[in-house]
Amino acid sequence: MDRHASSPPGTPAPYGHACANCAQSKNKCIIRQAGGPCERCHRLNKECHPAKTVRRRNPRKPVVSKAARLEEKLDGLVTLIKAGGQSGVVNTSSQATAVVDDSTPQVLTAATTNPTSLSYHHSPFGSGDIGEPSVVEAEEYLINFQTYKSKFFPFIYIPSSISAQYLRQERPFLWLCIMTVGSKSTSQQQVLGSKVRQTVAQEVVAQSEKNIDLLLGLLTFIGWANFQIQGKPFLAAFTQIAMSLVFDLGLNKSVPKNGLVIPCVTQKYSKPPTPRTMEERRAVLGCFLITSIISSSLQKIDALRWTPHMDECLLMLDERKESATDEILVHQVRLQRIVESMALSTSHGGAMESTGHRQPTSLHLENLHSQLQGIKTNLLARTPNNAEVVFLHLYNAELEIALSPTFLYTDQITLQQQKYLKAGLESIKSWFDVFFTIPPAAYIGFPFSIFSQLLRCMMTLYRLMTLDGPTCDDEGVWKTVDPLLVLGRVINNMEQVAILAGLDKSESPGGDVFSRGAQMFRSLRPGWEAKLGRDDLVLSTILPLQDVNETFLPDALGVELFDNDWLTDLLFSPNY
């Protein structure tokens, strides 16, 4: 065998070059000095021939850097997360927003949502759970929301072609909240409201979920918080959660041009920029609107801070107007920005009055009046769709500027307030003129903001009528608006809502929110008549409370409005 002739004598064959016999028997193949067969084959008189295959060494693994090992681990984690999301059991994705071209109209469609990214750890309903709407009820509640409610607080656009079943698949928490506020059964509203609270506690607090579905659902639940009666107050807490979701989702800031780069990770793991959708723009503007209204009403929390990006969102919504209600939202936000500017000047600036409250400077106040007058002129020149909704907010803003909420906390009025008493009274009259054009059956669409404005106008009107001194012309007030007549019409309309709108309060002994509202206003009537010294025949058809047990208690509505000193003092005034 010549293959070993050139090898040194008595030396083992190189690795992988043993003959077939030695390789099979796993013995060393020793090359003989004389050549020919190896020593073992020569000794055993066997034919010595090369092995058919050549055994090769395993290549040495290259040295892997620490960064490469970290990337490999991240790859594994991403794979696990994707696998978990596809299984439908656990979802850890914090991004449920759609990646779409910002130049195309944005509505709730299959092309703009990802169902798997919205599956939660725990479904709000189990099989046959009490309170779950049937398929027919769900469609009815969605139509109720689209027809009566969304125009009053149009932070979301749901086309009429979207079914309740599809909405439940794409936006499960939003669906739950719409079912809660859209139900006509008071008892079912409370059951569904409890499901909403449980979901928020589990998903937002315990699981730290952050997505657009949770934000839209919270805005719905907060926007119509007045329907949650006999429940523990939640407005302040849920408002803060909604604002935190806006911050976590980055909706109050412009989308970074280069995306979000994760520190210590190479560029291929950076998050690509996601164009801002119209759904997100409406959501952040709606969050500012409702938080500012709640801040003005409760007087104990701050609204979502306005940012330059929100200016861009407002301008784009005004230009595109993809839905008929977009125009309403634009007007509402612009009016509320003026109110918020007034609130900030009274809390963080302005001059300190003898009443202990800060008042805006005359220059700032004149500027706000000028802005408000400009918006009013445009609205009167071109009446928008659903004008009653816009004008209610307009005249409420006029009242807020003329007579800030500090007017309700004291019997003393400032020089500025004295100057605008007549303007405030005219705003109240205009507000009620618009309010009474809305049929009672449509009251089921009233969100928290309209209830808050109603209380604000009623309480301010009463305060104007009971001012001491020559600062207010009593006869002039009575000629402008009759408080007892207004109170009577409000009570009559509230009592008609349940019948005209087909509300079901059979399983709720305390009645629906409108019956309770009528009861609250009815409890004011004896005190108003005694204080104002009028015996108006218009109210003769309104029977007084027959039993002391029927006396209205503030916690019956379950809303923190009654944490306000001015409203509590008015409801339980010793002068009654």
Side-chain angles (χ1 to χ4, degrees), residues 483-546:
L484 297 180
L485 177 62
V486 169
L487 182 63
R489 292 188 66 181
V490 170
I491 294 173
N492 282 328
N493 286 3
M494 287 287 186
E495 290 177 338
Q496 296 178 47
V497 175
I499 297 176
L500 296 177
L503 302 184
D504 179 13
K505 52 182 180 179
S506 57
E507 298 181 10
S508 180
D512 58 274
V513 64
F514 301 99
S515 301
R516 290 169 181 265
Q519 183 182 3
M520 178 188 69
F521 289 120
R522 185 192 294 274
S523 69
L524 297 177
R525 185 173 64 88
W528 282 37
E529 290 182 338
K531 185 71 175 179
L532 299 176
R534 301 281 294 234
D535 187 15
D536 205 296
L537 297 177
V538 177
L539 293 180
S540 60
T541 59
I542 302 178
L543 300 176
L545 295 175
Q546 300 297 323

Side-chain angles (χ1 to χ4, degrees), residues 29-43:
C29 186
I30 306 300
I31 300 173
R32 296 171 58 239
Q33 183 178 3
C38 66
E39 288 187 0
R40 184 171 180 274
C41 291
H42 179 73
R43 185 177 68 253

Side-chain angles (χ1 to χ4, degrees), residues 106-109 142 146 156-164 167 323:
Q106 175 65 16
V107 294
L108 187 64
T109 61
L142 177 58
Q146 294 169 316
I156 186 173
Y157 170 44
I158 303 178
S160 57
S161 58
I162 297 297
S163 66
L167 181 65
S323 72

Side-chain angles (χ1 to χ4, degrees), residues 286-422:
C287 188
F288 165 78
L289 177 62
I290 192 60
T291 57
S292 179
I293 291 172
I294 293 174
S295 174
S296 177
S297 302
L298 300 187
Q299 298 289 310
K300 63 179 182 180
I301 61 173
D302 292 331
L304 178 67
R305 190 170 60 120
W306 189 264
T307 64
H309 177 63
M310 294 161 70
D311 274 320
E312 298 175 10
C313 294
L314 186 63
L315 180 61
M316 185 167 293
L317 199 66
D318 189 25
E319 291 175 349
R320 294 189 179 183
K321 294 185 179 67
E322 293 178 356
S323 72
T325 56
D326 282 347
E327 184 179 13
I328 299 176
L329 181 59
V330 169
H331 289 310
Q332 288 177 331
V333 171
R334 285 176 175 166
L335 290 168
Q336 194 60 36
R337 284 204 65 194
I338 298 176
V339 175
E340 184 67 18
S341 179
M342 178 72 174
L344 291 175
S345 66
T346 57
S347 60
H348 303 296
M352 183 70 72
E353 296 284 347
S354 59
T355 59
H357 297 282
R358 292 186 178 274
Q359 295 296 326
T361 63
S362 298
L363 182 61
H364 182 61
L365 196 58
E366 290 296 333
N367 182 41
L368 295 179
H369 275 285
S370 176
Q371 295 179 37
L372 198 57
Q373 187 60 37
I375 295 178
K376 184 176 182 180
T377 301
N378 292 333
L379 289 175
L380 294 175
R382 188 180 62 85
T383 305
N385 295 325
N386 297 301
E388 69 280 3
V389 179
V390 178
F391 281 110
L392 285 176
H393 283 267
L394 170 66
Y395 295 125
N396 177 74
E398 285 188 342
L399 177 60
E400 293 279 353
I401 301 303
L403 300 172
S404 64
T406 58
F407 172 74
L408 300 171
Y409 286 88
T410 177
D411 292 330
Q412 302 178 17
I413 63 173
T414 65
L415 294 176
Q416 285 184 353
Q417 290 171 342
Q418 183 176 344
K419 178 181 177 181
Y420 292 107
L421 282 179
K422 185 67 174 178

Side-chain angles (χ1 to χ4, degrees), residues 69-288:
R69 291 197 300 271
L70 179 59
E71 291 176 9
E72 185 178 355
K73 291 182 180 179
L74 285 175
D75 282 333
L77 290 175
V78 171
T79 302
L80 289 175
I81 291 174
K82 289 181 178 180
Q86 293 174 354
S87 66
V89 178
V90 178
N91 169 55
T92 58
S93 172
S94 62
Q95 294 297 326
T97 56
V99 180
V100 296
D101 184 0
D102 191 47
S103 62
T104 58
Q106 175 65 16
V107 294
L108 187 64
T109 61
T112 60
T113 52
N114 181 6
T116 59
S117 66
L118 297 172
S119 58
Y120 294 119
H121 300 80
H122 300 282
S123 172
F125 292 106
S127 178
D129 203 350
I130 298 176
E132 179 177 6
S134 65
V135 175
V136 176
E137 287 177 336
E139 293 295 340
E140 178 187 352
Y141 298 165
L142 177 58
I143 293 174
N144 177 18
F145 180 83
Q146 294 169 316
T147 305
Y148 294 102
K149 290 182 168 60
S150 62
K151 66 179 180 180
F152 285 101
F153 181 31
F155 70 94
I156 186 173
Y157 170 44
I158 303 178
S160 57
S161 58
I162 297 297
S163 66
Q165 182 178 2
Y166 182 80
L167 181 65
R168 184 174 190 177
Q169 177 186 356
E170 300 298 313
R171 295 281 189 263
F173 185 63
L174 173 62
W175 173 87
L176 174 61
C177 293
I178 288 179
M179 296 300 103
T180 302
V181 303
S183 173
K184 292 186 177 182
S185 169
T186 303
S187 60
Q188 188 180 43
Q189 285 177 349
Q190 309 316 305
V191 173
L192 295 177
S194 297
K195 298 288 185 183
V196 170
R197 298 179 191 225
Q198 293 170 9
T199 303
V200 172
Q202 176 65 29
E203 300 300 328
V204 181
V205 180
Q207 302 295 340
S208 298
E209 284 285 348
K210 298 175 284 290
N211 56 57
I212 191 67
D213 180 35
L214 289 171
L215 176 59
L216 294 175
L218 274 174
L219 293 179
T220 303
F221 195 63
I222 294 170
W224 285 269
N226 43 296
F227 286 91
Q228 289 299 304
I229 58 179
Q230 291 183 329
K232 293 183 179 180
F234 62 89
L235 263 180
F238 275 34
T239 299
Q240 298 292 337
I241 293 176
M243 288 192 289
S244 70
L245 286 175
V246 169
F247 299 144
D248 289 335
L249 297 174
L251 302 184
N252 60 327
K253 298 179 180 179
S254 300
V255 178
K257 294 182 179 180
N258 298 324
L260 178 62
V261 180
I262 305 175
C264 303
V265 180
T266 57
Q267 186 65 27
K268 72 173 185 176
Y269 286 99
S270 65
K271 179 184 174 183
T274 304
R276 183 72 69 226
T277 65
M278 295 302 290
E279 181 181 53
E280 293 170 335
R281 297 181 192 279
R282 292 188 189 96
V284 69
L285 294 176
C287 188
F288 165 78

Side-chain angles (χ1 to χ4, degrees), residues 398-503:
E398 285 188 342
L399 177 60
E400 293 279 353
I401 301 303
L403 300 172
S404 64
T406 58
F407 172 74
L408 300 171
Y409 286 88
T410 177
D411 292 330
Q412 302 178 17
I413 63 173
T414 65
L415 294 176
Q416 285 184 353
Q417 290 171 342
Q418 183 176 344
K419 178 181 177 181
Y420 292 107
L421 282 179
K422 185 67 174 178
L425 184 61
E426 289 291 342
S427 298
I428 294 175
K429 178 182 181 302
S430 298
W431 192 93
F432 278 112
D433 288 343
V434 176
F435 179 81
F436 289 130
T437 63
I438 303 175
Y443 286 14
I444 59 173
F446 284 173
F448 171 84
S449 59
I450 302 300
F451 268 79
S452 174
Q453 292 173 14
L454 175 61
L455 287 173
R456 175 81 159 85
C457 289
M458 294 293 292
M459 299 306 114
T460 306
L461 180 60
Y462 175 81
R463 183 57 58 89
L464 285 171
M465 294 298 301
T466 56
L467 282 176
D468 296 328
T471 56
C472 192
D473 181 6
D474 290 342
E475 289 303 319
V477 173
W478 282 101
K479 291 178 181 178
T480 303
V481 55
D482 188 330
L484 297 180
L485 177 62
V486 169
L487 182 63
R489 292 188 66 181
V490 170
I491 294 173
N492 282 328
N493 286 3
M494 287 287 186
E495 290 177 338
Q496 296 178 47
V497 175
I499 297 176
L500 296 177
L503 302 184

